[in-house]
Amino acid sequence: MQLKKITKRSLEQVLNIKYHYESNKVAKKVLQQVELEKGKLNAQSRKLAHDYANDVLGWQGFAPWLYVYTHIYGKFVEGWLPDNYYGRIVLPKIQGDYGKVSFLKPFTNKIFNESVCPDLAYYINGQWFSNEYKIKSNEQINNIIVNDQTYDNEMVINKLDHSYQGKGIKIYTKNDFDARTVSKNGNGVIQPFINQHNFFNQFTKDAVATLRFTTVIDNDGRASLRASFIRLGRNKQTHVQSKNQIIVPIDNKTGKLAKIGYDQTYRSTETHPDTEIPFENKKIPFFNDCVKMVLDLQNKMPMIKLIGWDVIVDDKNKIIVMEWNGYGTGIAFSEATQGPSFGDLGWSAFYKK
């Protein structure tokens, strides 16, 4: 028994070392990119970030992401959570296994007990289901898909369980959709391909944009919005992909886009690289309604303290929740451009405890 405990502890230590190594490797690459634009991070700012990682968070291995935040933001600010600190220290404590239920795409409407996502059908453990969770044959599912009139386009999207960052997503035309073939992809959901509001078409018409809202349940049990940004795809893409997406911060109070956006490597740009449309002075349509929706949903899931919501406004002015992320939501971008976002929650003391 003692040997098993030691082995398990050793495995956890190895995984922790690997996680922090890989995360900090990314942070160092990002810092190099930022320094190409802004020059070297000055010694005083580096020392402030290093000392904060050591003295407040408890380990100098949390410093690399603080260097990134400091250089992008323009100065060091107390209260930031490094991405690897959040991912390895905070996330397991505030979410546990409950947050992982968001990986199971077909369960969203069941869990929230309402039509949160515009689902058409589900494939779960060898069986097709309607969006009312009734067992259906391959032929019945094909009929559901081909007869869907949610939007005036001929496409549907298949999102697999554990899909994220544009991975695990497949697009089909309704006439080419075959339930027997699609089932081979594995467990997941079928949704209509959304016609987005014309506001988003000005940046790119091909890939549906994603509004990311990060909400938390604070220490008093209240839901609040902590960060928001828009993820824009590129021309001739069917959906936003992390490898070349453009991310633009959104003002949490006004819904206005920031002047400067960033690509996946944190290289800055004031316009979309394909259409050359500037971000400045653009305001998200129905922004306050979007915020209200995600806060209402967060209140329904108070045991999961932080949730990332992927939302869009469609061409009928309807707010659509495309999916939610209760476990793997990253915070690096929002901390660097909008943060500190979580300084009042006491999470910075978790590592020392």
Side-chain angles (χ1 to χ4, degrees):
M1 182 64 71
Q2 186 66 25
L3 179 60
K4 288 183 179 179
K5 288 183 179 179
I6 293 174
T7 303
K8 182 179 180 180
R9 188 181 303 118
S10 299
L11 177 60
E12 290 176 349
Q13 290 173 344
V14 169
L15 292 176
N16 280 333
I17 291 171
K18 182 179 180 181
Y19 178 87
H20 290 298
Y21 172 79
E22 294 295 336
S23 181
N24 285 334
K25 184 178 178 181
V26 173
K28 290 172 183 176
K29 287 184 178 180
V30 172
L31 182 61
Q32 289 174 355
Q33 175 59 52
V34 176
E35 288 181 331
L36 287 176
E37 292 189 29
K38 295 188 171 186
K40 289 289 185 180
L41 178 63
N42 67 71
Q44 181 181 5
S45 294
R46 179 179 284 269
K47 185 177 187 305
L48 287 172
H50 178 273
D51 290 348
Y52 187 82
N54 248 336
D55 301 340
V56 177
L57 300 179
W59 181 44
Q60 64 180 10
F62 297 129
W65 277 110
L66 293 179
Y67 300 152
V68 172
Y69 300 169
T70 301
H71 212 8
I72 291 175
Y73 198 76
K75 63 179 181 179
F76 175 77
V77 182
E78 293 187 2
W80 273 322
L81 292 181
D83 199 50
N84 59 322
Y85 182 94
Y86 170 76
R88 210 61 174 180
I89 308 302
V90 176
L91 197 59
K93 188 174 181 65
I94 66 171
Q95 312 294 62
D97 288 335
Y98 292 90
K100 297 177 182 178
V101 72
S102 65
F103 294 149
L104 307 178
K105 305 301 181 184
F107 277 2
T108 297
N109 290 345
K110 195 77 167 177
I111 290 172
F112 287 97
N113 198 30
E114 64 175 283
S115 295
V116 174
C117 296
D119 302 344
L120 298 176
Y122 312 111
Y123 186 77
I124 308 171
N125 297 336
Q127 179 66 61
W128 279 105
F129 296 83
S130 70
N131 59 7
E132 297 177 339
Y133 302 96
K134 298 183 183 299
I135 294 175
K136 298 292 181 180
S137 66
N138 290 326
E139 291 72 22
Q140 288 172 319
I141 292 296
N142 288 338
N143 287 332
I144 289 173
I145 300 306
V146 76
N147 292 319
D148 172 58
Q149 299 295 320
T150 307
Y151 296 103
D152 59 349
N153 64 59
E154 294 302 314
M155 296 184 293
V156 293
I157 185 169
N158 179 204
K159 297 179 181 178
L160 304 181
D161 288 354
H162 298 275
S163 60
Y164 70 103
Q165 295 184 337
K167 302 174 183 177
I169 292 177
K170 298 181 182 296
I171 309 292
Y172 298 92
T173 63
K174 293 176 182 178
N175 289 331
D176 290 338
F177 184 93
D178 177 68
R180 192 181 306 276
T181 301
V182 175
S183 67
K184 296 177 182 178
N185 296 336
N187 294 341
V189 62
I190 309 297
Q191 295 178 339
F193 194 90
I194 298 168
N195 290 345
Q196 64 187 0
H197 190 283
N198 202 45
F199 171 89
F200 307 102
N201 285 332
Q202 65 184 308
F203 299 110
T204 177
K205 296 180 180 180
D206 297 331
V208 177
T210 301
L211 299 171
R212 166 56 65 93
F213 296 102
T214 302
T215 61
V216 303
I217 295 292
D218 66 21
N219 296 330
D220 294 322
R222 296 185 298 249
S224 57
L225 176 68
R226 297 304 174 113
S228 55
F229 55 85
I230 185 172
R231 298 168 60 231
L232 298 169
R234 306 295 298 274
N235 286 351
K236 299 181 180 179
Q237 289 183 335
T238 56
H239 58 280
V240 177
Q241 300 178 34
S242 61
K243 62 182 180 181
N244 55 11
Q245 66 187 351
I246 303 299
I247 317 176
V248 188
I250 302 173
D251 187 290
N252 287 337
K253 294 182 179 179
T254 67
K256 290 183 178 180
L257 300 186
K259 180 180 180 180
I260 298 175
Y262 301 84
D263 67 12
Q264 189 61 19
T265 65
Y266 286 76
R267 182 169 48 208
S268 65
T269 177
E270 295 184 12
T271 64
H272 190 282
D274 297 325
T275 56
E276 298 184 353
I277 298 296
F279 307 127
E280 191 175 20
N281 296 322
K282 302 292 194 302
K283 183 176 180 179
I284 301 297
F286 302 97
F287 178 78
N288 291 335
D289 295 317
C290 291
V291 173
K292 183 180 184 304
M293 174 179 281
V294 297
L295 290 178
D296 287 345
L297 291 172
Q298 173 69 85
N299 277 321
K300 290 185 176 183
M301 200 62 62
M303 69 292 296
I304 301 176
K305 301 297 184 185
L306 183 150
I307 296 177
W309 307 92
D310 287 343
V311 176
I312 194 62
V313 181
D314 71 9
D315 60 352
K316 303 171 186 176
N317 299 334
K318 183 179 180 181
I319 301 166
I320 306 295
V321 176
M322 295 187 283
E323 59 184 39
W324 65 294
N325 194 317
Y327 198 83
T329 301
I331 64 167
F333 180 80
S334 58
E335 283 292 82
T337 58
Q338 297 178 293
S341 301
F342 315 101
D344 60 316
L345 301 173
W347 295 350
S348 60
F350 283 178
Y351 183 78
K352 286 186 174 181
K353 290 181 180 179

